[in-house]
Amino acid sequence: MASKVIHALYNDDDILMQAVKKVRAAHHHIEEVYTPFPVHGLDKALGLADTRIAITSFMYGCLGLTVAVVMMNYMMIEDWPQDIGGKPSFSYLDNMPAFVPIMFEMTVFFAAHLMVITFYLRSKMWPFKKAENPDVRTTDDHFLMEVGVHNNEKELIELLRETGAVEVNTIEK
Amino acid sequence: MYTFSNRLKIGSYILMALGVICLATGFLGAPSTVEEAREMVASAHDDGHGSDHGEAMAHSEEHDASHDEHLLHQLQNRPWAALYTAAFFFFMIALGTLAFYAIQRAAQAGWSPLLFRVMEGITAYLVPGGIIVFVILVLSVMHVNHLFVWMDPEVVAHDELLQGKQGYLNPTFFLIRAVLFLGGWIFYRQYSRKLSLAQDEANDNSNFVKNFKWSAAFLVFYLISESMMSWDWIMSLDPHWFSTLFGWYVFASMFVSGITVIAMVTVYLKSKGYLEEVHDSHIHDLAKFMFGISIFWTYLWFGQFMLIWYANIPEEVTYFVTRIEDYKLPFFGMLVLNFIFPLLILMNSDYKRVNWFVIMTGIIILVGHYLDVFNMVMPATVGDQWGIGIAEIGGILFFAGLFIFSVFSALAKAPLVPKRNPFLEESRQFHY
């Protein structure tokens, strides 16, 4: 990461998108973009890799299903196979329809909750975390692009001004 | 403008001809006397396992006679049931497509107007398909076959349960209802198509607005009529049995089959270069519907099965007992085809954009839902004398040929892309 960065502020998401494309075309490294709301297509313009969170969710779901099956097989079939209202407890398959609601809910529970926790871990979010926004306006109505400086400050500032930035600041980190 | 290719046309003729031959063989092969029926079953048994006969000898003479009579009826029903299953299956694809089409219009969906002509093409089968189903029902009422036991006054005379249901289940009212339902569906289909074509030439959007209103009204009519149709045409095959969510269950089956066929016809036309503006995002949306409604179908199937299995009330549970005992493979096999396959294959977002994947899953889903109709019709009509034989295959071939012929000749009658629909541009730009 560069020790010196430039913050370019925009007040329109369309202008921001154009700016991102221009800066990337000029081969400058965009460190970060702060926006008040999701800008459709920004990840593609920035060239970010696709998220893999859906894949983790699928695996968590499989885990949840396994937990449900193993738990109920142990409790209802192996440990104490009682006759409860005539339900067949000879094998798991015999009594399976009665277990399906729990299997389903456990799958969804694991898939959803573990995926959310994964998201928090990967994006480093927790209750007492210090907020990272470099400019309070980025949560309201401004968009901020952070570009690293590598001995090309003048040229970069000029480029960013051309892209329609309403404010360009150099920041020492 | 689409032209019905000669190869496809000849293909559909061949399918129909083969189907007629197979069906005729099936009808000629059905026994006409008790002795023939006995012989057929005996020879079928000798091939596999000959040790069952000692048990049969122990039965009393009288019981044997009624059993043989029953067997004769089952074997005579077999080609009829095969015909009816296939006729209903292809009819329900067109009806499911019509429901999807009406929903797209009533919801003013922005992605689908490019596909409206494809859907209108598929629903063209509603007219010939509906008429054939109706003719089979009339033949049943005329006692040409024994598909519906409650139509037999002899049976009703000895059955108090059926006597109690006579107010609803009587041949005249049954046919009146069938006419009303078919009339309503076909009317909406033809009128909506007319308005859709008129919109192309119009200077304002009045046809579009009219179509929107008719579609919303149709959906109300459809929900009621479809539910009653499923009681009449399917559930009354087992007149002692009833289930409250049966209408929804049949609806889910026809809805997912309809959407699947829309996707398959779209991919086919696109591969021939006719739907250039339809791109992967449209296919992706259709595949999402196939995925979602497959799971919806499974939810209803399980909702119906589990409630009856759990409570195990004798008068309800016989329905599933006969199916699990005599139809183990088709009954549970369809769950794999209709649920596990679509679930695992269509879960991945990238796969939903791969056209041959959608076609492959579509074929699996259609086979699964044919089996679904098979499982609803066969146990009530042929019992344990079922099979996927020449009559069943003949039925599928004939109606598949007729379906292809009517759908693609309707597609060739109008431009595949509507000219002026308020949402057309949005549909062109649709991107997911």
Side-chain angles (χ1 to χ4, degrees), chain A residues 23-38:
Chain A
V23 172
R24 263 173 64 81
H27 300 292
H28 292 292
H29 182 66
I30 301 175
E31 306 269 357
E32 195 68 81
V33 175
Y34 297 87
T35 65
F37 53 78

Side-chain angles (χ1 to χ4, degrees), chain B residues 329-366:
Chain B
L329 185 64
F331 189 66
F332 291 110
M334 86 175 168
L335 261 190
V336 177
L337 296 175
N338 290 343
F339 176 58
I340 312 279
F341 266 103
L343 178 81
L344 294 177
I345 297 175
L346 290 179
M347 194 187 294
N348 191 321
S349 185
D350 295 333
Y351 291 173
K352 286 192 273 246
R353 311 176 81 87
V354 182
N355 289 354
W356 66 268
F357 246 83
V358 173
I359 294 280
M360 187 185 74
T361 323
I363 293 169
I364 291 170
I365 291 177
L366 288 181

